[in-house]
């Protein structure tokens, strides 16, 4: 994207420390959006933020476990105080446990559901009003 069509917009991306989340963060920053990078991995988030800044973009890092209501509530307050309203929300955080379902523990099942499903609900509830 050569034009800065997203200038003045803010995107919050969960799971932004690697993979698709990182790729979306870099692309949206290139399009002019300022980026709120969210993940549990502070060091990897700092690396992504550094790449965005090196390319002339604006990015800030927010470490959070998005499956926890308290973390999402704190995230909403922190992001809002820094950026104001969020126009783009990308619920990208996700995990998996690669084993037969008969070998899953209930804790593993709840971990997957918490990250892949509950987190999207919590983030939408917190940020859609923006």
């Amino acid at each position: 994207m050569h034009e800065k069509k997203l200038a003045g917009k803010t995107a919050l991306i969960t799971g932004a420390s690697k993979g698709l989340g990182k790729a979306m963060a870099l692309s949206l920053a290139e399009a002019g959006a300022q980026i709120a990078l969210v993940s549990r991995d502070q060091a990897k988030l700092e690396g992504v933020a550094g790449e965005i800044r090196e390319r002339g973009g604006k990015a800030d890092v927010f470490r959070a476990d998005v499956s926890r209501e308290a973390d999402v509530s704190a995230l909403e307050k922190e992001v809002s105080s820094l950026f104001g309203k969020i126009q783009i929300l990308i619920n990208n955080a996700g995990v998996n446990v690669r084993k037969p379902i008969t070998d899953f523990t209930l804790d593993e099942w709840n971990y997957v559901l918490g990250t892949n499903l509950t987190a999207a609900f919590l983030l939408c509830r917190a940020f859609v009003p923006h």
Side-chain angles (χ1 to χ4, degrees), residues 27-80:
S27 182
L28 290 171
E30 185 179 321
Q34 54 188 359
I35 311 296
L37 301 164
V38 182
S39 173
R40 291 181 295 225
D41 192 325
Q42 180 83 25
K44 286 183 180 176
L45 285 175
E46 293 292 349
V48 176
E51 286 185 52
I52 289 171
R53 292 177 191 133
E54 286 173 6
R55 298 174 184 187
K58 180 172 184 203
D60 285 281
V61 168
F62 302 89
R63 187 186 177 288
D65 179 343
V66 293
S67 70
R68 296 179 33 148
E69 187 173 25
D71 280 20
V72 173
S73 179
L75 176 68
E76 193 276 331
K77 288 180 178 94
E78 192 176 357
V79 169
S80 295

Side-chain angles (χ1 to χ4, degrees), residues 4 6 33 46 48 63 71 83 99 107 111 114 116 130:
K4 301 292 183 184
L6 297 178
E46 293 292 349
V48 176
R63 187 186 177 288
D71 280 20
F83 290 119
K99 62 166 81 171
D107 284 343
Y111 170 65
N116 297 357
H130 289 232

Side-chain angles (χ1 to χ4, degrees), residues 81-115:
S81 71
L82 184 63
F83 290 119
K85 299 227 180 253
I86 302 299
Q87 292 80 30
I88 302 164
L89 172 62
I90 298 178
N91 281 307
N92 175 68
V95 298
N96 64 44
V97 176
R98 295 185 184 269
K99 62 166 81 171
I101 191 71
T102 54
D103 295 338
F104 260 68
T105 66
L106 183 57
D107 284 343
E108 290 168 331
W109 178 253
N110 287 329
Y111 170 65
V112 171
L113 287 180
T115 303

